[in-house]
Amino acid sequence: RDWRGSLMSCHDPFGREMARRAHGFRTLDRDLDRITHGEAAQLYAIRPIWRLGVAVLLLVAGLIVSIGLSGGDPAVAGMGAGLIVAGWLGLSIGANDIANSLGPAVGAGAIRLVPGLALVALAGIAGASLGGEAVTHRLAVGIIAVPNAGAGMQGQMVMLSALIGAAVWITIATGANLPVSTSHSIVGAIAGAGLAAFGVAAVDWRVMAVIASAWVLTPLVAGVLAGALLALIHLRVGQAPDRAAAARRWLPALTGAMITLFVTNIVSILPALAMPLPSALLPGAAVGLAFAWLTRRRVDHALAMHQEGRPGMKLVLRTPLLMAAVMMAFAHGAGDAGNVAGPLLVILTPGDQGVLHVPWPVLTGAGVMIALGALLFGHRLVHMVAGGITRLNATRAFCITLSTALIVLVAAGLGLPVSSTHTAIGGVFGVGFVREMLDRRRHRLHGALPGAEYRRRLLIRRSHVATITVAWVVTVPLTALIAALVFLLISRVV
């Protein structure tokens, strides 16, 4: 190092200020590098899923053509092809989304990778089995408005075309490095196949408008909730003079409140219980108090093992991060299992579409496929995220995971197929805005960023927003078009 530059920075306030800003810019550069590496890591980790998707589509195409040429039973071909494509979609969902919930908990040392994968896989199966009925029913009979549209061979072909259309688009988008949602893809594909089969009046456009509104609102609400949680933890715990005492006071209360809301929501949406929301609050509060006590015990234990006066947030948030991971996995199963189970229900039971009850084996089977995707293909991505290829520290990850889990579960209870990944992205942006606000508050007297650096940060943020927005805008019409073409092709072949 240059000793003259070091001496000047020690005695010159302007030099110290320039050094402080340079350090801040280097920190920003590391954050931006981690974003880039994290995206590359995700693409690398899901590459086996992409190759498997190509193989599945070729297999299904061959199966349909062979049945059409041989004159075999098209219903059998539809069921076989539907099971194959639905299975791949479940694997893809599990492999892509597992790092959102488990990566921060593994990185914080709250749980090891293999037990963590098993835990979130079981939580996802439970979420699909207990909370996936509303979304499944919405996708099976709620989007297409024609009475008994799902009955018979026609309805089976519509849902098979929707599954294939969604699979084709997800495979193309993965190969092109575009961030797309399975929920958006399957909704657009069902609408497109329904249009091709029954005409423009076939789609319930009111339901489509409600679903599209949920797609817009859930990231916004996640951003507000995640940002509010970050501000609360940062101001009350992170900046407290006695961080240990603040952690003992605030983290159990915060975790207990979130668990109370989570359990209350679960109890209110379970078909077997069907409890009104005020009545469901009592068991929710009981479970929340139990988890608050458990969190207090775990925080005390972690602090007892730490000798410094201001323990790191990564240490005190280990148990809350693990709880948030389980909540996220449950909500993910409840919200995304319907993407597989909804169309598959129509394919497997084409003659009985008026029934409101969704058979539990269909829901559990969808949850199992999502869990298998997490177990078989998710470990590489979780390992990369947990190893530090991310800009999220423990506090920010806890806020985003918790807010995403609550919002996705509420949407699942309302029967709205929303994207857990896009909801989490909304949380990331909300946390980013609050983080900048807190930084400006803390360094208000140090001056503004240079114009070039300020524009660079805005450009990077806008590029991410533009990429996500384009993916949202093009997914529904493109999957609708692909599914409509697939329906027309299957109709000619079969």
Side-chain angles (χ1 to χ4, degrees), residues 126-347:
S129 303
L130 299 176
E133 180 173 346
V135 174
T136 299
H137 186 266
R138 174 86 69 180
L139 293 175
V141 299
I143 294 178
I144 299 178
V146 177
N148 298 320
M153 185 64 190
Q154 190 85 329
Q156 191 182 47
M157 290 172 56
V158 166
M159 289 303 177
L160 176 60
S161 302
L163 283 176
I164 295 175
V168 168
W169 170 240
I170 291 172
T171 303
I172 293 173
T174 302
N177 302 340
L178 291 176
V180 297
S181 163
T182 307
S183 300
H184 296 189
S185 301
I186 201 66
V187 169
I190 292 174
L195 286 172
F198 305 108
V200 177
V203 177
D204 191 333
W205 298 107
R206 183 187 62 84
V207 172
M208 290 291 291
V210 171
I211 293 174
S213 300
W215 290 344
V216 175
L217 289 175
T218 48
L220 296 176
V221 177
V224 173
L225 181 56
L229 288 173
L230 177 65
L232 177 63
I233 295 176
H234 179 82
L235 296 176
R236 298 296 183 181
V237 180
Q239 297 299 315
D242 188 350
R243 182 179 290 178
R248 291 188 181 98
R249 180 170 60 253
W250 282 98
L251 290 182
L254 181 60
T255 304
M258 295 296 104
I259 293 290
T260 298
L261 294 175
F262 184 76
V263 175
T264 299
N265 199 347
I266 292 175
V267 173
S268 65
I269 67 175
L270 287 181
L273 298 177
M275 296 178 64
L277 197 60
S279 301
L281 186 60
L282 183 60
V287 178
L289 287 174
F291 271 91
W293 175 81
L294 177 63
T295 304
R296 175 64 183 267
R297 292 284 303 271
R298 297 289 296 176
V299 169
D300 286 342
H301 176 72
L303 293 175
M305 302 293 292
H306 194 83
Q307 301 300 322
E308 297 181 12
R310 289 178 60 84
M313 294 301 296
K314 184 176 179 179
L315 178 69
V316 298
L317 282 173
R318 281 181 177 177
T319 301
L321 271 173
L322 182 58
M323 294 179 182
V326 174
M327 292 168 59
M328 180 66 180
F330 185 97
H332 179 239
D336 282 6
N339 298 331
V340 177
L344 192 60
L345 177 64
V346 177
I347 294 173

Side-chain angles (χ1 to χ4, degrees), residues 15 109 111 151 272 291 463:
I111 193 170
F291 271 91
S463 68

Side-chain angles (χ1 to χ4, degrees), residues 17 20-21 443-450:
E17 174 63 15
R20 186 196 65 80
R21 291 191 182 188
H443 301 298
R444 186 180 304 161
L445 301 178
H446 292 291
L449 289 172

Side-chain angles (χ1 to χ4, degrees), residues 63 87 112 334 350 355 359 369:
L63 177 63
R112 292 190 298 273
V355 64
M369 295 309 298

